[in-house]
């Protein structure tokens, strides 16, 4: 018996230390492959189905390696789970002396300078916001970490947050009068000294971007990088290897300048006037778009005279702002920094308005209160592969969803992992006994006008049979909102008092807490609830997916990549669109069965799963559930 096999055995240290631990052959095999890759400094891509225990399968080799390891995961929530729960348990089981540190992005830590300035200004008129400020002040006085996730009583969407944290743009660095007490600096120092550092993908790529720009790196040198939730990497890499700026950044610059001008250059009203003009032009640019949740390519913007003129006015306002602020920048480090921010944003806007390079996509996205301008690489494969080639270290990529029927070619091609080893372990759950895949017959085409209504009508008998306890997952916010309105009416007509929870009505964590505690809950969500959500037991017994998650063909990024693949002689649908949809669908389907005792029905309403030739390839990539198209069989599942 190898050392890894002993550690994961029924009488090993993990079984003795961890309540509910079970020996799983898949977990042992994965841990062995991870350890071998770490020793050989190779690249390993691993898919481990739900219930495999992949977290311990990479944590144990990481703790045993004796080298420096960076663990990168998808979200701050998962970071906290790794650092506060999983790593301490694994360290205790092994009696490991390895030191660990948690490192998040700058905006997750309270900034003493911004907190003091906001407190002194007393500019928050709303009682609730002022109360939040007081809670944060009290926390900052006693906290060692300064991590905003540790503050209770201040919601994630409180308007106070932008005023008490810093960004890369508005941080004063070593010029800050409170630099010696800086929570960010202390967190980075702990990360430099630790054996294992837990980060998230955004921070990892921010570090890569800074090093490419010749700026000091955030993360320490290491022997191994392990990416959990690695299916998110291609999209995250695209964000950081490209460029983005938004109207909200211009508004923040104008706001910060008005505050700084009131302190350092009261004798120059032109600075404040220029800042106000910048604020107005940024807000007018957003108002040039009638609806949110839109994505336009650069060509479409240029053809819209109103929106284009509004953006050009933003450029003029930025230039005037920089002209007015430049003479006063030497007065104070804060003004110098504001001027540099203005120059950088003006230059970035000019780059975006220039000719589109052949290897990038220029596009914009409209949100409820802002417009974001993006420049995204057509492919990040070469850029990412260059990072792997620069360092003699091991790279581990793992997720429950990386392959299409065990084929990793789509994923590896996106990141340039051409020489990576791959491995795939199915979930140990008994899906044939625990679950049913139901595809209703007689559904209209997904692009028909009454499709969402048909989804709700088809789901109602199952919702009634399951007593709620359901997730309804949609591929768009618009469909989710329409479905919520329809479902509220249909439930009332049937006399069913099921509480409806909709994404956006409250922070995700709060919605999940309500879902777990309410009787007969129904949660309707879009992208935020397709992954990273773990509801075990009877609380969740039905997952309804409205349609196959193909990206809309008019999405500017997808359209450009389709055209690029076509020019290269490839098949955009089979090479890109279908694998993407499969991996995304596997994430949504994975919400249903979370442990050995779970039971439930997965309802996929899209008739293409059955009617189209590619449908077979999709459902064969899902867990091996029993399948049915009969509503009676699906309803009966809940009484079996």
């Amino acid at each position: 018996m190898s050392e890894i096999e002993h550690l994961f055995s029924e009488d090993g240290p993990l079984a003795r230390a961890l309540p509910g631990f079970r020996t799983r052959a898949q977990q042992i095999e994965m841990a062995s492959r991870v350890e071998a890759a770490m020793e050989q400094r190779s690249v390993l891509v691993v898919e481990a189905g739900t219930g495999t225990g992949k977290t311990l399968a990479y944590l144990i080799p990481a703790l045993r390696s004796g080298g420096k390891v960076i663990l990168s995961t998808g979200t701050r929530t998962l970071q906290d789970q790794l650092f506060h729960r999983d790593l301490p348990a694994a360290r205790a089981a092994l009696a490991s002396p390895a030191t660990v540190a948690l490192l998040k992005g700058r905006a997750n830590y309270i900034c003493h300078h911004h907190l003091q300035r906001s407190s002194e200004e007393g500019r928050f008129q709303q009682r609730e916001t002022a109360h939040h400020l007081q809670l944060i002040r009290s926390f900052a006085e006693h906290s060692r970490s300064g991590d905003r996730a540790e503050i209770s009583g201040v919601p994630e969407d409180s308007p106070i947050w932008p005023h008490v944290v810093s960004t890369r743009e508005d941080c004063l660095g070593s010029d800050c009068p409170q630099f010696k007490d800086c929570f960010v600096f202390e967190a980075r120092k702990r990360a430099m000294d630790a054996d294992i550092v837990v980060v998230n993908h955004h921070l990892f790529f921010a570090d890569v971007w800074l090093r490419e720009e010749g700026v000091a790196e955030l993360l320490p040198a290491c022997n191994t990088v392990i990416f959990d939730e690695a299916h998110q990497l291609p999209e995250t890499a695209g964000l950081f290897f490209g460029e983005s700026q938004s109207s909200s950044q211009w508004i923040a610059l104008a706001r910060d300048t008005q505050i700084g001008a009131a302190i350092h250059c009261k004798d120059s009203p032109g600075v404040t006037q220029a800042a106000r003009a910048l604020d107005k032009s940024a807000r007018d640019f957003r108002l040039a778009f009638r609806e949110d949740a839109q994505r336009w390519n650069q060509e479409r913007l240029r053809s819209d005279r109103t929106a284009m003129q509004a953006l050009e006015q933003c450029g003029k306002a930025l230039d005037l702002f920089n002209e007015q602020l430049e003479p006063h920048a030497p007065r104070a480090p804060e003004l110098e920094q504001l001027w540099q921010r203005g120059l950088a944003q003006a230059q970035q806007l000019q780059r975006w308005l220039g000719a589109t390079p052949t290897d990038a996509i220029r596009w914009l996205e409209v949100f409820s209160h802002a417009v974001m301008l993006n420049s995204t690489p057509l492919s990040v494969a070469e850029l990412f592969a260059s990072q792997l080639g620069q360092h003699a270290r091991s790279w581990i990529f793992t997720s429950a969803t990386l392959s299409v029927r065990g084929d990793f070619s789509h994923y590896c091609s996106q990141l340039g992992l051409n020489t990576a080893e791959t491995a795939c372990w199915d979930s140990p759950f008994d899906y044939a006994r625990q679950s049913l895949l139901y595809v209703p017959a007689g559904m209209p085409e997904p692009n028909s006008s009454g499709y969402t209504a048909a989804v709700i009508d088809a789901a109602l008998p199952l919702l009634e049979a399951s007593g709620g306890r359901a997730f309804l997952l949609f591929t768009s916010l618009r469909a989710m909102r329409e479905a919520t309105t329809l479902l509220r009416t249909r439930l009332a007509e049937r006399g069913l008092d099921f509480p409806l929870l909709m994404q956006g009505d409250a922070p995700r964590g709060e919605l999940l807490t309500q879902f777990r505690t309410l009787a007969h809950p129904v949660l309707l969500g879009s992208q935020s609830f397709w992954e990273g959500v773990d509801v075990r037991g009877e609380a969740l017994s039905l997952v309804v997916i409205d349609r196959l998650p193909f990206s809309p063909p008019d999405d500017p990024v997808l359209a450009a990549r389709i055209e690029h693949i076509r020019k290269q002689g490839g098949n955009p649908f089979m090479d890109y669109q279908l694998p993407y949809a499969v991996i995304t669908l596997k994430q949504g389907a994975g919400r249903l069965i979370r442990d050995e005792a779970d039971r439930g029905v997965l309802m996929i309403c899209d008739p293409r799963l059955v009617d189209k030739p590619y449908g077979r390839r999709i459902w064969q990539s899902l867990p091996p559930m029993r399948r049915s198209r009969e509503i009676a069989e699906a309803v009966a599942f809940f009484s079996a």
Side-chain angles (χ1 to χ4, degrees):
M1 179 183 291
S2 69
E3 181 66 19
I4 281 288
E5 289 174 324
H6 167 67
L7 292 173
F8 285 90
S9 66
E10 293 181 359
D11 57 353
L14 294 174
R16 291 195 297 271
L18 305 179
F21 177 86
R22 296 186 182 184
T23 297
R24 300 182 179 95
Q26 300 98 320
Q27 188 178 46
I28 295 172
E29 291 172 15
M30 177 178 166
S32 299
R33 289 292 296 273
V34 169
E35 188 160 85
M38 294 176 70
E39 291 172 353
Q40 298 160 12
R41 297 199 170 185
S42 59
V43 181
L44 176 64
V45 180
V46 175
E47 179 175 281
T50 306
T52 302
K54 65 180 171 64
T55 303
L56 281 178
Y58 66 70
L59 283 185
I60 299 305
L63 288 166
R64 282 166 45 84
S65 70
K68 185 124 188 168
V69 180
I70 291 178
L71 301 178
S72 180
T73 190
T75 64
R76 294 189 300 270
T77 301
L78 292 173
Q79 260 190 286
D80 289 333
Q81 179 179 307
L82 267 176
F83 181 75
H84 294 294
R85 190 187 75 182
D86 300 330
L87 260 172
R91 283 177 67 209
L94 297 187
S96 169
T99 55
V100 300
L102 177 68
L103 185 60
K104 299 181 180 180
R106 182 191 306 276
N108 292 279
Y109 299 95
I110 304 304
C111 170
H112 289 294
H113 174 66
H114 287 88
L115 175 61
Q116 180 179 348
R117 191 175 68 176
S118 296
S119 300
E120 291 173 350
E121 288 168 1
R123 56 201 293 266
F124 303 104
Q125 302 302 318
Q126 292 187 340
R127 180 180 300 177
E128 186 178 38
T129 306
H131 175 61
H132 292 163
L133 178 62
Q134 184 57 44
L135 290 175
I136 294 169
R137 286 181 60 188
S138 177
F139 169 80
E141 289 173 2
H142 303 96
S143 173
R144 178 172 178 265
S145 70
D147 186 346
R148 56 186 275 185
E150 298 175 9
I151 303 176
S152 59
V154 183
E156 293 179 15
D157 58 351
S158 172
I160 193 62
W161 287 121
H163 301 276
V164 296
V165 300
S166 67
T167 66
R168 186 172 59 84
E169 291 182 320
D170 65 17
C171 174
L172 296 175
S174 56
D175 290 329
C176 178
Q178 302 195 55
F179 179 71
K180 65 181 180 64
D181 297 320
C182 177
F183 288 125
V184 174
F185 178 76
E186 285 300 317
R188 290 179 183 172
K189 186 178 177 182
R190 288 193 294 270
M192 292 295 175
D193 296 337
D195 298 312
I196 296 179
V197 185
V198 183
V199 303
N200 60 53
H201 301 336
H202 281 81
L203 183 60
F204 178 87
F205 282 105
D207 179 61
V208 169
W209 184 86
L210 286 172
R211 280 187 276 117
E212 291 291 316
E213 294 291 309
V215 182
E217 59 188 79
L218 301 175
L219 304 178
C222 66
N223 305 98
T224 300
V225 178
I226 300 176
F227 293 107
D228 198 353
E229 302 296 318
H231 61 279
Q232 299 176 4
L233 288 180
E235 183 174 352
T236 307
L239 294 174
F240 282 91
F241 287 132
E243 276 193 335
S244 297
Q245 71 175 151
S246 72
S247 59
S248 61
Q249 286 178 278
W250 304 330
I251 292 171
L253 175 61
R255 178 199 66 211
D256 294 346
T257 302
Q258 290 181 72
I259 296 170
I263 299 171
H264 301 293
C265 52
K266 295 178 182 179
D267 56 336
S268 300
V271 173
T272 299
Q273 290 168 5
R276 288 173 179 164
L278 176 60
D279 179 277
K280 184 179 185 305
S281 67
R283 295 179 191 276
D284 288 346
F285 179 47
R286 169 59 189 89
L287 293 174
F289 301 88
R290 296 178 181 176
E291 298 180 3
D292 61 0
Q294 296 185 81
R295 289 184 166 198
W296 290 15
N297 60 25
Q298 193 181 52
E299 291 74 20
R300 182 177 175 186
L301 173 67
R302 292 189 186 282
S303 68
D304 188 298
R305 184 176 179 182
T306 301
M308 189 63 197
Q309 287 181 342
L311 181 56
E312 290 172 344
Q313 184 58 42
C314 290
K316 293 175 183 177
L318 271 170
D319 291 340
L320 176 62
F321 170 88
N322 292 324
E323 181 183 315
Q324 289 290 325
L325 188 56
E326 180 179 9
H328 306 285
R331 290 188 176 189
E334 187 174 359
L335 295 182
E336 172 71 26
Q337 184 206 56
L338 290 165
W339 179 53
Q340 294 295 336
R341 280 170 65 184
L343 288 176
Q345 291 185 19
Q347 292 165 2
Q348 188 174 342
L349 178 57
Q350 288 306 310
R351 284 195 299 273
W352 195 89
L353 287 169
T356 305
T358 56
D359 60 349
I361 310 149
R362 298 267 174 83
W363 58 287
L364 64 81
E365 187 166 12
V366 184
F367 299 96
S368 56
H369 299 293
V371 182
M372 180 168 285
L373 307 176
N374 305 287
S375 180
T376 303
L378 271 170
S379 170
V380 300
E382 185 176 339
L383 295 164
F384 190 82
S386 70
Q387 296 298 319
L388 271 66
Q390 290 176 16
H391 306 281
R393 59 174 59 139
S394 51
W395 299 80
I396 314 295
F397 302 79
T398 183
S399 171
T401 56
L402 294 177
S403 76
V404 179
R405 292 190 301 179
D407 180 358
F408 291 86
S409 57
H410 170 70
Y411 181 78
C412 289
S413 66
Q414 286 185 290
L415 293 178
L417 307 178
N418 301 322
T419 61
E421 301 174 27
T422 61
C424 184
W425 288 279
D426 292 332
S427 168
F429 298 156
D430 186 355
Y431 282 99
R433 178 185 61 82
Q434 293 178 249
S435 59
L436 176 73
L437 170 59
Y438 168 59
V439 181
M443 289 294 293
E445 287 299 308
N447 59 357
S448 62
S449 60
Y451 183 74
T452 299
V455 168
I456 294 302
D457 289 339
L460 273 168
L462 287 186
L463 286 169
E464 190 166 6
S466 66
R469 302 182 297 139
F471 276 8
L472 274 62
L473 303 179
F474 296 86
T475 55
S476 73
L477 291 170
R478 183 173 299 174
M480 177 194 74
R481 291 165 183 151
E482 179 186 354
T484 303
T485 301
L486 290 167
L487 185 57
R488 186 171 284 114
T489 301
R490 299 286 199 277
L491 292 175
E493 291 171 351
R494 292 182 174 227
L496 298 173
D497 187 20
F498 294 173
L500 295 188
L501 309 172
M502 187 180 77
Q503 175 183 323
D505 286 348
R508 188 172 79 160
E510 185 178 325
L511 287 174
L512 288 172
T513 298
Q514 292 181 45
F515 185 88
R516 292 186 180 104
T517 54
L518 291 170
H520 311 296
V522 178
L523 188 150
L524 298 93
S526 186
Q527 186 176 1
S528 294
F529 286 88
W530 280 69
E531 60 178 277
V533 175
D534 190 5
V535 179
R536 304 187 179 208
E538 294 184 353
L540 177 60
S541 298
L542 172 65
V543 171
V544 178
I545 293 176
D546 72 330
R547 68 183 78 202
L548 299 178
F550 289 107
S551 296
D554 59 350
D555 178 277
V557 177
L558 177 62
R561 286 180 174 158
I562 285 174
E563 183 61 23
H564 177 70
I565 293 170
R566 190 174 287 123
K567 286 180 179 178
Q568 300 295 314
N571 182 324
F573 183 76
M574 299 302 292
D575 297 344
Y576 188 85
Q577 293 169 275
L578 183 61
Y580 174 85
V582 168
I583 290 172
T584 305
L585 183 66
K586 287 168 68 175
Q587 280 290 331
R591 298 315 97 212
L592 182 63
I593 303 299
R594 305 302 299 174
D595 66 29
E596 292 90 343
D598 281 359
R599 292 182 79 254
V601 172
L602 171 65
M603 177 180 177
I604 301 178
C605 301
D606 197 324
R608 293 174 293 181
L609 192 64
V610 175
D611 297 344
K612 299 295 184 182
Y614 56 78
R616 180 181 181 87
R617 189 175 179 187
I618 295 176
W619 61 252
Q620 285 185 336
S621 296
L622 295 173
M625 302 176 173
R626 190 157 49 94
R627 300 188 302 277
S628 176
R629 304 205 69 188
E630 300 296 328
I631 182 63
E633 188 174 357
V635 167
F637 183 90
F638 293 104
S639 56

